[in-house]
Amino acid sequence: GVGFARMHVFVYSARPGTTAAAMPGQIPDALKRERSQIMLKLAEEAGRRFRQRFLGATLDVLWEAIEESDGPERVWSGLSSNYVRVYARSKEGLSNTLLRVTPVRAYRDGLWGELVAGAGTPEPQMSQLRRDPDASGNTDRCGELAMLGQLTVEGCTYERIQ
């Protein structure tokens, strides 16, 4: 069946003066919180199942940031094309590069992966993109569009590095 990669769970709060606030049968706050906790647990499990489907597969990951540093090696995080958070260790700078990875286990809120080819060294034949900020200075939007394969997007500049 179809699952959810992520869910946003929130508790409804009545707003004074709205039609909904005046409706009969309002749910008590304690029950709302209880139901919210149940949904959060279901969301966590659904996300875990979704991510597990990609263990052993090959994913293209847009590397974003260093999560932790231990001597010359750093743990990098990035997003796959299906928005799975991926972590990997590399001595090389991976920021704003699109590299292949094989996820090998669950890790934090995503997957731990092994970089494909070159032990973490970005290979020239791999697709690498440099992303510049959009007009508002936001590089995240441009990176997400790059993950979707859109290399020409208004407000974003991309340069394929060979």
Side-chain angles (χ1 to χ4, degrees):
V2 175
F4 292 97
R6 294 196 195 288
M7 288 188 266
H8 179 76
V9 178
F10 63 95
V11 175
Y12 167 77
S13 299
R15 301 286 181 241
T18 64
T19 304
M23 295 177 91
Q26 298 288 326
I27 305 295
D29 287 344
L31 183 55
K32 289 180 196 178
R33 285 190 297 274
E34 180 183 332
R35 289 178 178 176
S36 177
Q37 289 304 308
I38 291 168
M39 288 302 299
L40 287 170
K41 286 179 185 175
L42 289 171
E44 185 177 317
E45 177 62 23
R48 187 188 60 73
R49 278 194 313 269
F50 177 80
R51 291 187 300 272
Q52 279 186 329
R53 297 184 343 201
F54 302 102
L55 290 173
T58 301
L59 301 175
D60 289 326
V61 175
L62 180 60
W63 297 99
E64 298 175 317
I66 297 171
E67 292 293 320
E68 56 188 70
S69 187
D70 183 18
E73 290 215 331
R74 293 163 284 208
V75 174
W76 289 85
S77 74
L79 287 176
S80 71
S81 58
N82 49 11
Y83 298 100
V84 171
R85 177 68 54 194
V86 180
Y87 300 86
R89 189 174 298 280
S90 176
K91 293 178 183 177
E92 303 297 324
L94 302 182
S95 183
N96 295 324
T97 60
L98 187 63
L99 298 173
R100 292 213 160 135
V101 68
T102 301
V104 293
R105 64 182 166 90
Y107 184 77
R108 294 184 183 172
D109 60 339
L111 299 172
W112 183 267
E114 300 294 331
L115 293 169
V116 173
T121 303
E123 299 283 336
Q125 70 269 20
M126 293 181 169
S127 296
Q128 296 182 39
L129 298 174
R130 180 179 59 82
R131 63 182 184 193
D132 291 332
D134 63 16
S136 66
N138 180 358
T139 58
D140 293 336
R141 177 178 163 272
C142 294
E144 289 174 9
L145 294 169
M147 294 297 293
L148 297 172
Q150 299 175 7
L151 297 179
T152 307
V153 179
E154 186 176 338
C156 300
T157 304
Y158 298 97
E159 175 183 325
R160 190 172 295 280
I161 301 169
Q162 297 298 331

